[in-house]
Amino acid sequence: MNHVHYNRLGTNQDIAEIILDRPKARNAFTTDMAKEILELCQTIHHSEARVVLIRSSTEGAFCSGADLKERNGMSEEEWKEQHELFEAMFHQIQDMKQPVIAVVDGYALAGGFEIVLNCDFIIATKHAVFGLPEVTRGIMPGGGGTRLLSRRIPIHKAKEWILTGKKVPAREAEACGLINLLTTREKMKEESVAFAEKIALNAPLAVQYCKASIDELYSMNEKEAREVEIDFYNRCVNTKDRLEGVRAFVEKRQPQFIGE
């Protein structure tokens, strides 16, 4: 039985939607579910989709992390092999050429919060709760939590959240700058699709190069960053969409981008 589903949304079906669907376990991911997420993300990465949404099928639960019941009986070697799969899943989400939007309602904890942190944007309802409780279980976040949270919020707040293992309600998360858009359950789907469509309407290669440029430049020194930035700029200039964008502006019409 598949616990991950896939839809295409948007005016031109340009939005790929990944749906986590293991409601009885609050979408805790097993080995098989992680493989499904990884393989689906790889497929979408090579598709013509322009934006990706990741959400839950279940009200009140985005994802509670790895399934600890499955892990409980594993040998050390099996644990390590499974975690390598989880790492590949997290990295594939972060490395998608398309912008990825996490749509969160309810709990996003441990590895579930790390799925969110590996996305580019976070849309959350007022019922969302975030947390990295690993220290309370004698371990630490293993899917980017300590690396990525401090890029989203002030470092002293990241340390507080991680070292206490606290659960953070949506309002506090928003006040720290974690969330791009805070919404209601009733408007969540409508507003997340509208957010995605604003991106999908733009030239896809330009969007992808901008995302890649921002990610690469973030941790570079100024000299390296300037060289990489202009490389991405030159790639973007050498596209049919760039010429179409200029023509459309001059002709006062909506551009028709083709991703070339």
Side-chain angles (χ1 to χ4, degrees):
M1 178 180 177
N2 289 346
H3 292 297
V4 185
H5 304 295
Y6 171 62
N7 285 329
R8 291 296 284 267
L9 305 171
T11 305
N12 297 310
Q13 300 288 287
D14 291 329
I15 301 166
E17 182 183 48
I18 298 171
I19 305 167
L20 309 180
D21 187 23
R22 194 175 176 232
K24 291 183 180 179
R26 288 186 173 180
N27 294 326
F29 49 83
T30 59
T31 300
D32 288 342
M33 187 172 170
K35 286 179 182 176
E36 289 180 52
I37 296 170
L38 172 61
E39 291 170 2
L40 183 52
C41 285
Q42 289 171 334
T43 298
I44 294 171
H45 176 79
H46 295 290
S47 76
E48 297 301 312
R50 297 188 179 188
V51 188
V52 183
L53 296 172
I54 301 180
R55 69 169 179 88
S56 167
S57 67
T58 310
E59 186 176 284
F62 177 80
C63 178
S64 58
D67 188 325
L68 297 185
K69 291 181 181 178
E70 182 187 47
R71 280 190 155 187
N72 190 44
M74 287 184 173
S75 67
E76 287 298 306
E77 188 60 34
E78 288 170 333
W79 177 295
K80 290 177 182 177
E81 288 179 5
Q82 186 198 54
H83 199 271
E84 288 176 358
L85 169 65
F86 290 172
E87 290 171 37
M89 174 190 72
F90 290 126
H91 295 164
Q92 182 60 54
I93 293 169
Q94 186 181 32
D95 294 341
M96 298 280 278
K97 68 180 182 181
Q98 300 94 341
V100 184
I101 304 167
V103 184
V104 183
D105 178 60
Y107 288 99
L109 302 176
F113 189 17
E114 289 177 303
I115 287 177
V116 172
L117 290 172
N118 278 283
C119 295
D120 299 291
F121 305 102
I122 303 169
I123 295 175
T125 73
K126 297 173 183 178
H127 300 279
V129 179
F130 304 91
L132 294 168
E134 282 84 350
V135 293
T136 68
R137 301 169 186 158
I139 54 175
M140 66 174 283
T146 57
R147 172 172 49 87
L148 297 173
L149 185 57
S150 60
R151 296 183 182 183
R152 303 268 189 164
I153 66 173
I155 190 169
H156 66 287
K157 296 300 293 185
K159 287 179 179 178
E160 176 192 341
W161 293 10
I162 293 169
L163 301 186
T164 64
K166 68 182 288 187
K167 292 182 176 68
V168 182
R171 289 292 188 191
E172 182 179 349
E174 183 191 32
C176 285
L178 180 74
I179 297 169
N180 291 90
L181 176 65
L182 190 64
T183 185
T184 63
R185 280 177 175 164
E186 294 74 22
K187 294 183 177 179
M188 179 180 73
K189 184 168 184 179
E190 174 190 346
E191 293 195 347
S192 61
V193 172
F195 188 101
E197 284 198 312
K198 288 180 182 178
I199 298 171
L201 285 171
N202 297 321
L205 292 179
V207 168
Q208 291 165 24
Y209 292 151
C210 283
K211 171 181 169 173
S213 179
I214 291 168
D215 287 344
E216 286 201 33
L217 302 178
Y218 189 81
S219 60
M220 285 185 177
N221 65 47
E222 182 65 15
K223 184 175 183 297
E224 290 175 321
R226 288 179 181 181
E227 292 174 357
V228 172
E229 183 180 36
I230 200 64
D231 177 59
F232 279 114
Y233 173 79
N234 287 332
R235 289 191 223 176
C236 188
V237 166
N238 190 30
T239 63
K240 293 178 182 178
D241 278 348
R242 192 266 300 180
L243 297 174
E244 166 63 9
V246 173
R247 283 195 299 267
F249 177 80
V250 172
E251 295 169 9
K252 297 181 179 180
R253 60 174 175 82
Q254 188 72 20
Q256 301 298 312
F257 294 127
I258 60 173
E260 294 181 8

